[in-house]
Amino acid sequence: MSTRRKSRRLPPLSGVLVLVMASTGLVVIDLTIVAIGLPLISADIGDGASAESVVVTYMVVMGALTQVVGSLSDRWGRRPLFLAGIAVFTLSSLAATVAPDLLWLDAARVVQGAGAAAIMVNAIPLLSDRYSGEERDLAIGAWGSFATAAGLLAPVFGGVLAEAFGWRAVFAVNLPLGVAAWALAVRVLPRSPGTAGTAEASEAPGTPGSRDTGRTDWLGSLLLMLGLGTATLLMLRSGDTPWSGRDTAVLLTACAALTAFLAVQLKVPAPTLDLRMFGSPAFSGAMLAVLLSRVLTIGGSVHLVLYFSDGLGMSPTGAGLLMTPIFLAQIVMGMVGSKLIGDRPPGLVIGAGYALKAVGLAALALLITPDTPWWALVVPLLAWGAGGGIAGAPVMAVAVRVTAPERVGMVAGTVSTLASLGAGVGTAALGSVFGLSGGDGAQAVTDGTRTVLAVSAALAVVAVITAVTLVGPRRVPARVPAGVGGEPAPPRREVRATAARPSRRPAGAPSRRSSPVRTETCSPERSDSP
């Protein structure tokens, strides 16, 4: 009779977890913290010209490289790419800190985006290699919650730094943190790539993405970088600018490059993106949920902050502080969501999270007016953050669980790429929605934000349907608990009996029908077994 193993509430602390969370925080914060200092950058080294290129170049390069770098980490190993990413990110931050003009700063941001891509896409693979089973789900949940919270805190942090020390401080803050992260990475990252924390699904035949690795797909990588780079650049264009022939050329280039990329992936033996992964409904559902989540989260939060400042007349610091209920609830409930998928069907957990998020967004859409007191918005903001936490971490865990371990880097690249595209689509599409009903003045800004929040709530409902339909319990293998002492659980073994072959028997011997093929699976004992 077996004994029940005590279930964890938090992942065991390790140097890898601390490293991944800290370095990812740097990357996520740098996505938005620089935007706070744009007016100061424009006045100092831009001669009053727009400095939006400082943000655009970083996002374009990072969005274009994430899938490629994620696939390379599966072939070349996590440690060298992660160390290179931290080094490149830190050195380019130094170059940005001392930039004498806007061109120099843009060039530094291009290099910084490349380093950020290498850091970001290695987060999930490093956690998947270090942890397994329940501990891996909890570690991914902690990482996802921290990354989201860092992104929401960035505007407040950036405002304080820019006001107190100037715009160069938003880049200089990366230097000591980057050096510390590099030193920690040298110490804690294993020298052999390996996949210690194997995904449970990887042992079963037909696991999506279980194709052997081979030569690097350079042609596909170049086509993908061209397609994603041009697509991201197009999505980041100002909505107030009329469509031009140049925009049409960029759009056609993106479509042609991405179409050629998909054609190449169907032919090469070791693709940058194994399209067979999308043959798994659970994987496709998780990826679609990631895309929808970024669309409604980024688009909704941008215009909500605009409502706080222009609709309620709050200061930038006050608007940032009013966003804190979202990230506080996200952190707490992210761990809860990771815990729940061990005992509940993942699709229902993810769907419940998005449903709660939809309720929060809908309540905000109904409540906001130019005269709404700030305290009346706290509960809907908490619901928004709690729903995002419950849904976000399990989505990542499901994507890893249904994919072969040698493709975890590719999965991380896909997640990061879709997140970047979702952020761009959300900003552009919901910005257009805002423009249809918004305008100048507190009432116009409120009306536009209300419409954006209503659309975001509808998208959250679509995410609910997607999760419940595609991420079903039969499509996601049960996780294997981690072994004693935090060591990875032993892999499951499949024992297949061969079909009985007809045998020669003496005349008159009784006839025996060959029994059908029987398959028995021997797996470690689950923690929830009686």
Side-chain angles (χ1 to χ4, degrees), residues 166-207:
W167 67 267
R168 296 182 189 273
V170 302
F171 298 107
V173 71
N174 295 333
L175 303 181
L177 298 176
V179 171
W182 194 88
L184 180 60
V186 170
R187 181 174 182 180
V188 303
L189 293 185
R191 294 189 177 275
S192 58
T195 50
T198 55
E200 289 82 352
S202 63
E203 292 80 19
T207 299

mmCIF file of all heavy atoms in Angstrom, residues 166-207:
data_model
loop_
_atom_site.group_PDB
_atom_site.id
_atom_site.type_symbol
_atom_site.label_atom_id
_atom_site.label_comp_id
_atom_site.label_asym_id
_atom_site.label_seq_id
_atom_site.Cartn_x
_atom_site.Cartn_y
_atom_site.Cartn_z
ATOM 1 N N GLY A 166 17.540 60.975 -14.863
ATOM 2 C CA GLY A 166 17.629 61.197 -16.296
ATOM 3 C C GLY A 166 17.425 59.907 -17.082
ATOM 4 O O GLY A 166 17.416 58.800 -16.525
ATOM 5 N N TRP A 167 17.292 60.057 -18.387
ATOM 6 C CA TRP A 167 16.948 58.902 -19.224
ATOM 7 C C TRP A 167 18.046 57.850 -19.280
ATOM 8 O O TRP A 167 17.754 56.674 -19.483
ATOM 9 C CB TRP A 167 16.591 59.353 -20.635
ATOM 10 C CG TRP A 167 17.737 59.940 -21.426
ATOM 11 C CD1 TRP A 167 18.075 61.258 -21.509
ATOM 12 C CD2 TRP A 167 18.675 59.220 -22.230
ATOM 13 N NE1 TRP A 167 19.174 61.419 -22.324
ATOM 14 C CE2 TRP A 167 19.561 60.185 -22.787
ATOM 15 C CE3 TRP A 167 18.860 57.888 -22.553
ATOM 16 C CZ2 TRP A 167 20.616 59.835 -23.627
ATOM 17 C CZ3 TRP A 167 19.916 57.543 -23.396
ATOM 18 C CH2 TRP A 167 20.776 58.499 -23.923
ATOM 19 N N ARG A 168 19.305 58.242 -19.115
ATOM 20 C CA ARG A 168 20.393 57.265 -19.199
ATOM 21 C C ARG A 168 20.316 56.240 -18.062
ATOM 22 O O ARG A 168 20.849 55.127 -18.179
ATOM 23 C CB ARG A 168 21.744 57.974 -19.186
ATOM 24 C CG ARG A 168 21.963 58.875 -20.392
ATOM 25 C CD ARG A 168 23.337 59.534 -20.387
ATOM 26 N NE ARG A 168 23.423 60.539 -21.428
ATOM 27 C CZ ARG A 168 23.785 60.308 -22.682
ATOM 28 N NH1 ARG A 168 24.097 59.071 -23.043
ATOM 29 N NH2 ARG A 168 23.829 61.273 -23.566
ATOM 30 N N ALA A 169 19.641 56.587 -17.004
ATOM 31 C CA ALA A 169 19.535 55.665 -15.868
ATOM 32 C C ALA A 169 18.721 54.428 -16.209
ATOM 33 O O ALA A 169 18.944 53.345 -15.639
ATOM 34 C CB ALA A 169 18.918 56.373 -14.672
ATOM 35 N N VAL A 170 17.772 54.530 -17.158
ATOM 36 C CA VAL A 170 16.951 53.368 -17.494
ATOM 37 C C VAL A 170 17.776 52.299 -18.215
ATOM 38 O O VAL A 170 17.379 51.122 -18.253
ATOM 39 C CB VAL A 170 15.732 53.773 -18.348
ATOM 40 C CG1 VAL A 170 14.874 54.793 -17.623
ATOM 41 C CG2 VAL A 170 16.153 54.291 -19.712
ATOM 42 N N PHE A 171 18.911 52.683 -18.793
ATOM 43 C CA PHE A 171 19.827 51.714 -19.383
ATOM 44 C C PHE A 171 20.930 51.319 -18.404
ATOM 45 O O PHE A 171 21.344 50.160 -18.359
ATOM 46 C CB PHE A 171 20.459 52.275 -20.658
ATOM 47 C CG PHE A 171 19.473 52.588 -21.738
ATOM 48 C CD1 PHE A 171 19.154 53.899 -22.060
ATOM 49 C CD2 PHE A 171 18.842 51.568 -22.429
ATOM 50 C CE1 PHE A 171 18.244 54.186 -23.056
ATOM 51 C CE2 PHE A 171 17.920 51.846 -23.432
ATOM 52 C CZ PHE A 171 17.623 53.166 -23.749
ATOM 53 N N ALA A 172 21.405 52.287 -17.620
ATOM 54 C CA ALA A 172 22.503 52.010 -16.691
ATOM 55 C C ALA A 172 22.110 51.014 -15.615
ATOM 56 O O ALA A 172 22.957 50.276 -15.103
ATOM 57 C CB ALA A 172 22.975 53.316 -16.035
ATOM 58 N N VAL A 173 20.821 50.947 -15.268
ATOM 59 C CA VAL A 173 20.387 50.016 -14.226
ATOM 60 C C VAL A 173 20.613 48.567 -14.648
ATOM 61 O O VAL A 173 20.719 47.665 -13.804
ATOM 62 C CB VAL A 173 18.896 50.262 -13.882
ATOM 63 C CG1 VAL A 173 18.000 49.802 -15.022
ATOM 64 C CG2 VAL A 173 18.510 49.573 -12.591
ATOM 65 N N ASN A 174 20.720 48.317 -15.958
ATOM 66 C CA ASN A 174 20.953 46.952 -16.436
ATOM 67 C C ASN A 174 22.375 46.466 -16.172
ATOM 68 O O ASN A 174 22.618 45.256 -16.164
ATOM 69 C CB ASN A 174 20.697 46.871 -17.941
ATOM 70 C CG ASN A 174 19.245 47.117 -18.306
ATOM 71 O OD1 ASN A 174 18.342 46.871 -17.512
ATOM 72 N ND2 ASN A 174 19.018 47.616 -19.512
ATOM 73 N N LEU A 175 23.318 47.392 -15.986
ATOM 74 C CA LEU A 175 24.723 46.999 -15.926
ATOM 75 C C LEU A 175 25.055 46.137 -14.705
ATOM 76 O O LEU A 175 25.564 45.023 -14.862
ATOM 77 C CB LEU A 175 25.612 48.243 -15.986
ATOM 78 C CG LEU A 175 25.403 49.136 -17.213
ATOM 79 C CD1 LEU A 175 26.356 50.337 -17.176
ATOM 80 C CD2 LEU A 175 25.594 48.328 -18.491
ATOM 81 N N PRO A 176 24.805 46.599 -13.478
ATOM 82 C CA PRO A 176 25.130 45.733 -12.332
ATOM 83 C C PRO A 176 24.287 44.470 -12.302
ATOM 84 O O PRO A 176 24.775 43.389 -11.939
ATOM 85 C CB PRO A 176 24.847 46.627 -11.124
ATOM 86 C CG PRO A 176 23.897 47.665 -11.610
ATOM 87 C CD PRO A 176 24.261 47.901 -13.040
ATOM 88 N N LEU A 177 23.027 44.580 -12.722
ATOM 89 C CA LEU A 177 22.164 43.399 -12.731
ATOM 90 C C LEU A 177 22.624 42.391 -13.784
ATOM 91 O O LEU A 177 22.603 41.177 -13.552
ATOM 92 C CB LEU A 177 20.712 43.818 -12.994
ATOM 93 C CG LEU A 177 20.085 44.738 -11.944
ATOM 94 C CD1 LEU A 177 18.686 45.157 -12.371
ATOM 95 C CD2 LEU A 177 20.042 44.064 -10.576
ATOM 96 N N GLY A 178 23.056 42.881 -14.925
ATOM 97 C CA GLY A 178 23.538 41.993 -15.970
ATOM 98 C C GLY A 178 24.822 41.275 -15.580
ATOM 99 O O GLY A 178 24.987 40.079 -15.841
ATOM 100 N N VAL A 179 25.738 42.002 -14.952
ATOM 101 C CA VAL A 179 26.991 41.390 -14.494
ATOM 102 C C VAL A 179 26.707 40.317 -13.448
ATOM 103 O O VAL A 179 27.278 39.218 -13.476
ATOM 104 C CB VAL A 179 27.942 42.461 -13.937
ATOM 105 C CG1 VAL A 179 29.145 41.818 -13.257
ATOM 106 C CG2 VAL A 179 28.409 43.391 -15.055
ATOM 107 N N ALA A 180 25.810 40.619 -12.520
ATOM 108 C CA ALA A 180 25.464 39.644 -11.482
ATOM 109 C C ALA A 180 24.797 38.411 -12.090
ATOM 110 O O ALA A 180 25.076 37.268 -11.696
ATOM 111 C CB ALA A 180 24.541 40.294 -10.452
ATOM 112 N N ALA A 181 23.918 38.615 -13.083
ATOM 113 C CA ALA A 181 23.249 37.488 -13.725
ATOM 114 C C ALA A 181 24.254 36.619 -14.481
ATOM 115 O O ALA A 181 24.164 35.382 -14.452
ATOM 116 C CB ALA A 181 22.166 37.994 -14.678
ATOM 117 N N TRP A 182 25.238 37.237 -15.137
ATOM 118 C CA TRP A 182 26.231 36.470 -15.884
ATOM 119 C C TRP A 182 27.079 35.625 -14.924
ATOM 120 O O TRP A 182 27.352 34.450 -15.185
ATOM 121 C CB TRP A 182 27.120 37.405 -16.693
ATOM 122 C CG TRP A 182 27.943 36.703 -17.728
ATOM 123 C CD1 TRP A 182 27.578 36.417 -19.006
ATOM 124 C CD2 TRP A 182 29.270 36.184 -17.564
ATOM 125 N NE1 TRP A 182 28.600 35.757 -19.647
ATOM 126 C CE2 TRP A 182 29.641 35.602 -18.793
ATOM 127 C CE3 TRP A 182 30.172 36.159 -16.500
ATOM 128 C CZ2 TRP A 182 30.882 34.998 -18.978
ATOM 129 C CZ3 TRP A 182 31.404 35.556 -16.689
ATOM 130 C CH2 TRP A 182 31.753 34.986 -17.912
ATOM 131 N N ALA A 183 27.481 36.226 -13.817
ATOM 132 C CA ALA A 183 28.288 35.487 -12.843
ATOM 133 C C ALA A 183 27.501 34.309 -12.263
ATOM 134 O O ALA A 183 28.043 33.207 -12.080
ATOM 135 C CB ALA A 183 28.744 36.427 -11.731
ATOM 136 N N LEU A 184 26.221 34.523 -11.972
ATOM 137 C CA LEU A 184 25.400 33.438 -11.446
ATOM 138 C C LEU A 184 25.206 32.350 -12.492
ATOM 139 O O LEU A 184 25.227 31.154 -12.170
ATOM 140 C CB LEU A 184 24.045 33.994 -11.001
ATOM 141 C CG LEU A 184 23.052 32.984 -10.418
ATOM 142 C CD1 LEU A 184 23.623 32.311 -9.174
ATOM 143 C CD2 LEU A 184 21.716 33.665 -10.092
ATOM 144 N N ALA A 185 25.024 32.742 -13.760
ATOM 145 C CA ALA A 185 24.828 31.763 -14.823
ATOM 146 C C ALA A 185 26.055 30.873 -14.992
ATOM 147 O O ALA A 185 25.929 29.660 -15.198
ATOM 148 C CB ALA A 185 24.504 32.471 -16.140
ATOM 149 N N VAL A 186 27.237 31.456 -14.908
ATOM 150 C CA VAL A 186 28.464 30.675 -15.020
ATOM 151 C C VAL A 186 28.530 29.612 -13.926
ATOM 152 O O VAL A 186 28.994 28.491 -14.151
ATOM 153 C CB VAL A 186 29.704 31.599 -14.941
ATOM 154 C CG1 VAL A 186 30.985 30.784 -14.802
ATOM 155 C CG2 VAL A 186 29.775 32.477 -16.180
ATOM 156 N N ARG A 187 28.004 29.946 -12.785
ATOM 157 C CA ARG A 187 28.097 29.026 -11.645
ATOM 158 C C ARG A 187 27.030 27.946 -11.660
ATOM 159 O O ARG A 187 27.308 26.797 -11.301
ATOM 160 C CB ARG A 187 28.002 29.833 -10.347
ATOM 161 C CG ARG A 187 28.113 28.981 -9.103
ATOM 162 C CD ARG A 187 28.154 29.825 -7.847
ATOM 163 N NE ARG A 187 28.299 29.006 -6.654
ATOM 164 C CZ ARG A 187 28.366 29.493 -5.423
ATOM 165 N NH1 ARG A 187 28.315 30.801 -5.231
ATOM 166 N NH2 ARG A 187 28.489 28.683 -4.383
ATOM 167 N N VAL A 188 25.814 28.260 -12.046
ATOM 168 C CA VAL A 188 24.715 27.320 -11.832
ATOM 169 C C VAL A 188 24.285 26.556 -13.078
ATOM 170 O O VAL A 188 23.654 25.496 -12.958
ATOM 171 C CB VAL A 188 23.481 28.029 -11.234
ATOM 172 C CG1 VAL A 188 23.839 28.727 -9.939
ATOM 173 C CG2 VAL A 188 22.864 29.019 -12.231
ATOM 174 N N LEU A 189 24.598 27.053 -14.271
ATOM 175 C CA LEU A 189 24.125 26.368 -15.461
ATOM 176 C C LEU A 189 24.997 25.154 -15.774
ATOM 177 O O LEU A 189 26.226 25.251 -15.752
ATOM 178 C CB LEU A 189 24.114 27.315 -16.673
ATOM 179 C CG LEU A 189 23.116 28.457 -16.629
ATOM 180 C CD1 LEU A 189 23.138 29.227 -17.936
ATOM 181 C CD2 LEU A 189 21.712 27.954 -16.334
ATOM 182 N N PRO A 190 24.395 24.018 -16.059
ATOM 183 C CA PRO A 190 25.183 22.818 -16.397
ATOM 184 C C PRO A 190 25.916 23.007 -17.718
ATOM 185 O O PRO A 190 25.430 23.669 -18.628
ATOM 186 C CB PRO A 190 24.127 21.714 -16.495
ATOM 187 C CG PRO A 190 22.854 22.425 -16.819
ATOM 188 C CD PRO A 190 22.940 23.752 -16.121
ATOM 189 N N ARG A 191 27.089 22.405 -17.817
ATOM 190 C CA ARG A 191 27.898 22.558 -19.026
ATOM 191 C C ARG A 191 27.389 21.694 -20.164
ATOM 192 O O ARG A 191 27.583 22.023 -21.328
ATOM 193 C CB ARG A 191 29.358 22.213 -18.732
ATOM 194 C CG ARG A 191 30.001 23.199 -17.778
ATOM 195 C CD ARG A 191 31.498 22.993 -17.667
ATOM 196 N NE ARG A 191 32.083 24.002 -16.801
ATOM 197 C CZ ARG A 191 32.443 25.218 -17.209
ATOM 198 N NH1 ARG A 191 32.273 25.559 -18.478
ATOM 199 N NH2 ARG A 191 32.951 26.091 -16.366
ATOM 200 N N SER A 192 26.771 20.579 -19.853
ATOM 201 C CA SER A 192 26.188 19.745 -20.906
ATOM 202 C C SER A 192 24.735 20.118 -21.060
ATOM 203 O O SER A 192 24.033 20.300 -20.070
ATOM 204 C CB SER A 192 26.306 18.263 -20.547
ATOM 205 O OG SER A 192 25.662 18.008 -19.320
ATOM 206 N N PRO A 193 24.238 20.289 -22.320
ATOM 207 C CA PRO A 193 22.866 20.742 -22.501
ATOM 208 C C PRO A 193 21.857 19.822 -21.864
ATOM 209 O O PRO A 193 21.194 20.170 -20.918
ATOM 210 C CB PRO A 193 22.706 20.816 -24.027
ATOM 211 C CG PRO A 193 23.809 20.002 -24.585
ATOM 212 C CD PRO A 193 24.927 20.003 -23.563
ATOM 213 N N GLY A 194 21.772 18.577 -22.307
ATOM 214 C CA GLY A 194 20.877 17.604 -21.673
ATOM 215 C C GLY A 194 19.452 18.064 -21.549
ATOM 216 O O GLY A 194 19.113 19.192 -21.767
ATOM 217 N N THR A 195 18.597 17.167 -21.171
ATOM 218 C CA THR A 195 17.214 17.482 -20.847
ATOM 219 C C THR A 195 16.856 16.665 -19.638
ATOM 220 O O THR A 195 16.151 15.667 -19.679
ATOM 221 C CB THR A 195 16.280 17.141 -22.025
ATOM 222 O OG1 THR A 195 16.555 15.832 -22.456
ATOM 223 C CG2 THR A 195 16.418 18.090 -23.169
ATOM 224 N N ALA A 196 17.349 17.133 -18.508
ATOM 225 C CA ALA A 196 17.167 16.360 -17.293
ATOM 226 C C ALA A 196 15.725 16.214 -16.929
ATOM 227 O O ALA A 196 15.245 15.174 -16.537
ATOM 228 C CB ALA A 196 17.954 17.022 -16.163
ATOM 229 N N GLY A 197 14.982 17.270 -17.027
ATOM 230 C CA GLY A 197 13.579 17.180 -16.662
ATOM 231 C C GLY A 197 12.739 16.854 -17.851
ATOM 232 O O GLY A 197 12.142 17.687 -18.458
ATOM 233 N N THR A 198 12.714 15.645 -18.237
ATOM 234 C CA THR A 198 12.028 15.251 -19.449
ATOM 235 C C THR A 198 10.542 15.428 -19.329
ATOM 236 O O THR A 198 9.939 15.217 -18.299
ATOM 237 C CB THR A 198 12.336 13.773 -19.776
ATOM 238 O OG1 THR A 198 11.998 12.989 -18.655
ATOM 239 C CG2 THR A 198 13.776 13.575 -20.156
ATOM 240 N N ALA A 199 9.939 15.816 -20.429
ATOM 241 C CA ALA A 199 8.494 15.948 -20.452
ATOM 242 C C ALA A 199 7.864 14.571 -20.487
ATOM 243 O O ALA A 199 8.329 13.654 -21.125
ATOM 244 C CB ALA A 199 8.069 16.766 -21.673
ATOM 245 N N GLU A 200 6.770 14.446 -19.787
ATOM 246 C CA GLU A 200 6.141 13.146 -19.686
ATOM 247 C C GLU A 200 5.700 12.626 -21.042
ATOM 248 O O GLU A 200 5.714 11.436 -21.307
ATOM 249 C CB GLU A 200 4.926 13.213 -18.750
ATOM 250 C CG GLU A 200 5.267 13.380 -17.302
ATOM 251 C CD GLU A 200 5.562 14.816 -16.933
ATOM 252 O OE1 GLU A 200 5.643 15.658 -17.821
ATOM 253 O OE2 GLU A 200 5.729 15.086 -15.743
ATOM 254 N N ALA A 201 5.292 13.547 -21.899
ATOM 255 C CA ALA A 201 4.779 13.099 -23.184
ATOM 256 C C ALA A 201 5.863 12.592 -24.097
ATOM 257 O O ALA A 201 5.592 11.929 -25.079
ATOM 258 C CB ALA A 201 4.033 14.238 -23.864
ATOM 259 N N SER A 202 7.123 12.875 -23.781
ATOM 260 C CA SER A 202 8.195 12.588 -24.716
ATOM 261 C C SER A 202 8.445 11.113 -24.890
ATOM 262 O O SER A 202 8.997 10.687 -25.886
ATOM 263 C CB SER A 202 9.488 13.267 -24.251
ATOM 264 O OG SER A 202 9.884 12.749 -23.004
ATOM 265 N N GLU A 203 8.084 10.300 -23.928
ATOM 266 C CA GLU A 203 8.376 8.897 -24.059
ATOM 267 C C GLU A 203 7.366 8.167 -24.937
ATOM 268 O O GLU A 203 7.586 7.048 -25.348
ATOM 269 C CB GLU A 203 8.402 8.224 -22.678
ATOM 270 C CG GLU A 203 9.551 8.670 -21.801
ATOM 271 C CD GLU A 203 9.298 10.000 -21.140
ATOM 272 O OE1 GLU A 203 8.118 10.391 -21.078
ATOM 273 O OE2 GLU A 203 10.245 10.645 -20.706
ATOM 274 N N ALA A 204 6.237 8.776 -25.138
ATOM 275 C CA ALA A 204 5.217 8.129 -25.942
ATOM 276 C C ALA A 204 5.498 8.336 -27.415
ATOM 277 O O ALA A 204 5.940 9.387 -27.822
ATOM 278 C CB ALA A 204 3.837 8.702 -25.595
ATOM 279 N N PRO A 205 5.256 7.344 -28.248
ATOM 280 C CA PRO A 205 5.462 7.515 -29.674
ATOM 281 C C PRO A 205 4.480 8.520 -30.232
ATOM 282 O O PRO A 205 3.354 8.646 -29.772
ATOM 283 C CB PRO A 205 5.216 6.102 -30.242
ATOM 284 C CG PRO A 205 4.325 5.438 -29.241
ATOM 285 C CD PRO A 205 4.716 5.987 -27.917
ATOM 286 N N GLY A 206 4.904 9.229 -31.260
ATOM 287 C CA GLY A 206 4.027 10.211 -31.875
ATOM 288 C C GLY A 206 3.984 11.520 -31.154
ATOM 289 O O GLY A 206 3.133 12.344 -31.424
ATOM 290 N N THR A 207 4.873 11.750 -30.179
ATOM 291 C CA THR A 207 4.888 13.036 -29.482
ATOM 292 C C THR A 207 5.195 14.144 -30.471
ATOM 293 O O THR A 207 6.136 14.043 -31.240
ATOM 294 C CB THR A 207 5.958 13.040 -28.387
ATOM 295 O OG1 THR A 207 5.625 12.025 -27.459
ATOM 296 C CG2 THR A 207 5.973 14.364 -27.657
#
